[in-house]
Amino acid sequence: MSAPDLRESGDEEREEGGNEDPKEEAEANDLERGEVGIKSKNATITDPPMQFHMSRMQRLSDTNPLRLVINGATRVPTASPAQPRVTPSQPRATPSPAQPLPTPTPQQSLTLNSRAYTNRISLFLFLLHMVVAIGLICFLVYKGVQGLIEAGPTQKKEKRVLEYFLPQVEAASLLSITLAFLWQKAVRVWPQIMVHFIIWSSFVMSLSAGILLICFQKPPTDGIGILFIAFAIGNGLYCCWVTHRIGFCCKVLVKSLEPVSKFPDLNQPTYWMLGAGFMWMSVWILAVIGSLNFYLPPLIVIVLVLSLMWTAEVMRNVANITVSRVIALYYLRGMQSNTQFCFQRALSKNLGSACLGSLFVPAIEALRIVARGLNLLEGEDEFMFSCAHCCLKVMDSIFRHGNGWAYVQIAAYGKGFVKASQDTWELIEKQECLKTIVDADMTSAICFLTGVCSGSMCVIIVAAWTARVHEEFTATISLLAFFIGYLMTRIAMALPHACVSCYYVCYAENPDNRLFDETIPERLSMIKSGRDAVAPTPRVRRLST
C-alpha cells in the first residue's frame, strides 16, 4: 500500500473514532488534562463535524475548483447537512476577503487555556501573611507549653484554660465540621425543602441562643444574648419579606445543581478545604491559649481572628473557583473537566484572585446592604434623602469593580478579579431585566443564614456545657464557638453557591444554550408584563408636598 493510501486510511480511522477536530481535541486535552466531551443529549456542539480532512486534499483541479484531486482520482466533496448542495443553477457563494469566516472555537480555547497568574500582588501578600501567621502560631504554641512547664501564676491560669476552655472549643470544631457536611449533603439532595428550613431554622436557632445566654444573668452573656435576639428579629422580618421569592429561588437551585451528578468527585475540593480548615482551627485554638503567656493578649487574639477570617474565606473561594470552572466549562463548552486539575489551577494560577476577592467582597457586599438600608430613609428629610442615594450610588459603582459573581469568569477565563467583576456585571446588564433577577437572588443570603444556624447550634451546646463546668468562660467560648461554626459551614456551602453563580453568569453569556430551560425566560417575561415585580430593595414612596 502506498504512503498516500496509508494516510487516507489513517484519516478514515480517526473519522470513525470521533467527530472532533484533532487540533481542537489536542488543545482541550492540554487545557484540562483529561477533559472529554459529554455524551448526553443535552451536550452543545460548538462546531459541526467536518466531512473530510485537509490532510487528504492533495491539490485542486485545474479545470474545476469544486473538484479535488486525491491520489490521482477526482472527487467532489459532499456538502454538510447544515449547508445546501451547490447546483449549477445556484451561484457559488465565496467569502469576501474583508470578512473572513468566524472561528470561535480556537479563540475560546486560547482564552480558556490562560496560564498566567492572576492578581500577583494580592497573592504575594497572602503568602507573606501565611508565613507570618504560621510563625506567630508556632511561637504562641511554644509560649503556651513554656507556661505549662514553668511554675507560677501563668501555669495555674493555663491549666485552668486547658481544663475548662479547650474541650468545649474542640467540641465546637467537631460539631461545626459535622454540621458543614450535613448542610451540604442536605442542600444537594433536598434543595426545595432546605431553602425553607434554612430560613426559618436560622431564626429559631439564633433566637434560642440569645434567650439561653440571657438566662445565665451575667453582663457579658446578656450583651451577647441581646445581639443574638436583635439579629433573630431582623432575620424573622427578612423571612417574611422574601416569601414571594422563595419559589423562584428553589427552581434556580434545583436546576443549577443538576450538573453536579455528572461529576462524582466535584465535592472532593470542598472536603479537602474543610479538612484543612479544621486542622488549622485546631492549631489556632492552641495559639489563642498560648497568647495568655505573652504581651497584650487581647490585641494578639484580634490579630489571630482577622487572620483566621481571611484564611477561611480564601479556602471557601478556592472551592468556589474549582466548582465554578467545572460547571462553567460544562455550560460554555459542553466539556467534562478534570476536577483535580481545576482544583490545582485554583490553588495556583487563580489563588491571587481568590485572595483579593476574599479580602474585599465581604466588606463590599456588607456595605452595599447598609447603603440599601439607608435608601429606605426617603422622606421629608432632604439631607438624609440625598445621603442615602449618594451612598447607594457609590456602593453600586464599587460593586461593579468587585463582586462575588466575578469568580465564574476568574475560573473559566483566568481573568483578574477587577476585570472579571467588570465583564461579568456588564454581561448581566446587557440582558434585559436579568440584573433585576440577579440583584434579588437569595443564594448568598441562604449560605449566610446556614452559617448563622450552625454557629447558633454550636453556641447552644457549648454555652450550656461551659456554664455547667466554669461559668466565667461562657461568653468567650460562645463567641468563639459561633465564629468557628459559621466559618466551617460557609466553606461547605461554596458548592451550591458556585453552581447558582455559574447558572446566572453562563446564561448571561449565552442565553440560547440548550442546557438552559425556560426558568429565567419565564421570569423575565413575567417581570416585563408586570405580573411579578421584583425589587432588590423596597422603596418608601416619598410624600408629596
Side-chain angles (χ1 to χ4, degrees):
M1 185 178 295
S2 62
D5 295 333
L6 290 174
R7 182 169 59 251
E8 181 176 353
S9 62
D11 292 334
E12 291 176 353
E13 290 177 359
R14 282 194 297 269
E15 286 183 326
E16 294 174 356
N19 292 330
E20 295 185 354
D21 191 352
K23 293 182 180 179
E24 183 178 350
E25 183 179 1
E27 291 179 359
N29 291 335
D30 179 67
L31 171 66
E32 297 300 333
R33 297 181 185 174
E35 290 181 346
V36 295
I38 297 177
K39 299 178 180 180
S40 64
K41 62 181 181 180
N42 293 329
T44 303
I45 301 176
T46 56
D47 289 331
M50 299 183 66
Q51 300 298 325
F52 62 96
H53 288 272
M54 296 301 296
S55 61
R56 297 171 56 187
M57 185 177 67
Q58 303 300 318
R59 61 186 178 86
L60 295 176
S61 174
D62 297 330
T63 58
N64 191 346
L66 296 179
R67 296 180 179 271
L68 304 178
V69 179
I70 301 176
N71 300 333
T74 304
R75 298 183 183 179
V76 179
T78 305
S80 61
Q83 299 176 352
R85 182 184 299 272
V86 179
T87 60
S89 60
Q90 296 177 343
R92 182 189 175 196
T94 57
S96 174
Q99 297 179 354
L101 293 176
T103 55
T105 302
Q107 295 291 335
Q108 193 175 24
S109 299
L110 292 175
T111 306
L112 294 176
N113 200 21
S114 175
R115 300 179 184 275
Y117 284 79
T118 58
N119 299 108
R120 298 182 180 182
I121 296 178
S122 59
L123 176 60
F124 172 76
L125 292 177
F126 178 75
L127 294 178
L128 179 63
H129 148 264
M130 288 302 300
V131 172
V132 175
I134 292 173
L136 178 61
I137 287 176
C138 292
F139 175 75
L140 292 177
V141 171
Y142 164 75
K143 295 296 291 185
V145 175
Q146 185 182 21
L148 288 174
I149 296 175
E150 296 178 356
T154 305
Q155 183 183 33
K156 295 181 180 179
K157 187 177 182 180
E158 289 194 6
K159 284 185 176 180
R160 185 179 60 176
V161 169
L162 289 176
E163 183 178 0
Y164 301 113
F165 185 91
L166 185 61
Q168 291 92 311
V169 179
E170 292 293 345
S173 299
L174 289 173
L175 179 60
S176 64
I177 193 172
T178 304
L179 290 173
F181 282 112
L182 293 177
W183 281 120
Q184 192 204 80
K185 180 66 175 179
V187 169
R188 287 190 289 109
V189 176
W190 307 295
Q192 291 182 322
I193 299 175
M194 292 307 298
V195 170
H196 296 82
F197 181 78
I198 289 170
I199 290 177
W200 290 106
S201 63
S202 60
F203 165 73
V204 173
M205 290 299 171
S206 57
L207 182 63
S208 302
I211 293 174
L212 176 64
L213 292 174
I214 290 179
C215 291
F216 295 139
Q217 297 182 355
K218 297 287 184 180
T221 56
D222 289 345
I224 299 174
I226 291 174
L227 292 178
F228 272 97
I229 292 177
F231 177 82
I233 294 173
N235 191 6
L237 295 175
Y238 176 79
C239 295
C240 298
W241 175 42
V242 299
T243 302
H244 64 285
R245 299 193 313 202
I246 293 179
F248 180 73
C249 176
C250 293
K251 289 182 180 179
V252 172
L253 187 59
V254 171
K255 183 63 181 176
S256 62
L257 289 174
E258 287 181 359
V260 177
S261 60
K262 302 180 182 296
F263 306 93
D265 59 343
L266 192 57
N267 294 317
Q268 291 184 6
T270 306
Y271 295 158
W272 282 108
M273 289 293 99
L274 283 175
F278 175 76
M279 297 299 296
W280 181 252
M281 287 182 185
S282 300
V283 180
W284 180 84
I285 292 168
L286 297 177
V288 172
I289 297 175
S291 65
L292 300 175
N293 193 25
F294 196 61
Y295 303 103
L296 301 175
L299 180 61
I300 294 177
V301 171
I302 292 174
V303 171
L304 290 174
V305 168
L306 294 177
S307 173
L308 181 62
M309 290 177 63
W310 192 16
T311 306
E313 190 70 13
V314 170
M315 291 180 180
R316 182 176 76 90
N317 286 327
V318 166
N320 190 341
I321 290 175
T322 303
V323 177
S324 296
R325 182 168 179 84
V326 174
I327 302 299
L329 292 183
Y330 168 76
Y331 283 134
L332 299 176
R333 293 287 303 275
M335 300 173 68
Q336 187 168 0
S337 305
N338 188 331
T339 304
Q340 295 301 322
F341 178 71
C342 294
F343 185 44
Q344 295 173 7
R345 184 183 178 89
L347 283 174
S348 56
K349 295 179 174 61
N350 301 137
L351 184 58
S353 298
C355 298
L356 183 61
S358 302
L359 195 60
F360 290 106
V361 168
I364 292 174
E365 292 183 348
L367 292 176
R368 191 168 184 240
I369 293 174
V370 173
R372 287 181 171 185
L374 292 176
N375 199 37
L376 295 174
L377 299 176
E378 295 185 27
E380 293 299 326
D381 194 333
E382 293 292 337
F383 177 76
M384 294 301 297
F385 173 78
S386 60
C387 288
H389 280 274
C390 179
C391 291
L392 186 59
K393 289 181 179 179
V394 170
M395 290 313 304
D396 284 341
S397 177
I398 296 175
F399 187 77
R400 295 174 181 272
H401 297 82
N403 54 76
W405 303 101
Y407 294 119
V408 178
Q409 291 212 356
I410 291 172
Y413 301 112
K415 298 180 180 179
F417 175 73
V418 178
K419 178 63 174 176
S421 300
Q422 295 173 345
D423 293 347
T424 304
W425 200 245
E426 183 179 355
L427 280 175
I428 293 174
E429 287 182 331
K430 284 182 179 179
Q431 299 295 329
E432 187 178 4
C433 296
L434 184 60
K435 178 184 175 182
T436 304
I437 297 178
V438 169
D439 221 16
D441 181 65
M442 295 174 53
T443 307
S444 297
I446 294 297
C447 296
F448 171 76
L449 293 178
T450 306
V452 170
C453 189
S454 293
S456 301
M457 290 180 182
C458 293
V459 168
I460 293 172
I461 295 176
V462 172
W465 181 5
T466 308
R468 182 73 176 178
V469 296
H470 200 283
E471 195 172 4
E472 294 181 3
F473 291 154
T474 304
T476 304
I477 292 182
S478 298
L479 282 177
L480 197 56
F482 177 82
F483 186 62
I484 293 173
Y486 172 80
L487 291 179
M488 294 295 289
T489 303
R490 288 305 305 270
I491 294 175
M493 293 299 292
L495 187 144
H497 192 188
C499 291
V500 174
S501 298
C502 289
Y503 186 80
Y504 280 118
V505 175
C506 293
Y507 177 85
E509 185 169 347
N510 185 14
D512 299 327
N513 196 323
R514 297 179 183 177
L515 297 175
F516 298 112
D517 60 357
E518 297 299 320
T519 301
I520 295 181
E522 289 178 357
R523 186 74 165 180
L524 292 174
S525 62
M526 292 177 66
I527 295 175
K528 294 176 183 178
S529 62
R531 290 177 294 169
D532 189 1
V534 180
T537 303
R539 303 284 198 263
V540 178
R541 181 176 298 178
R542 193 180 175 198
L543 299 177
S544 58
T545 56

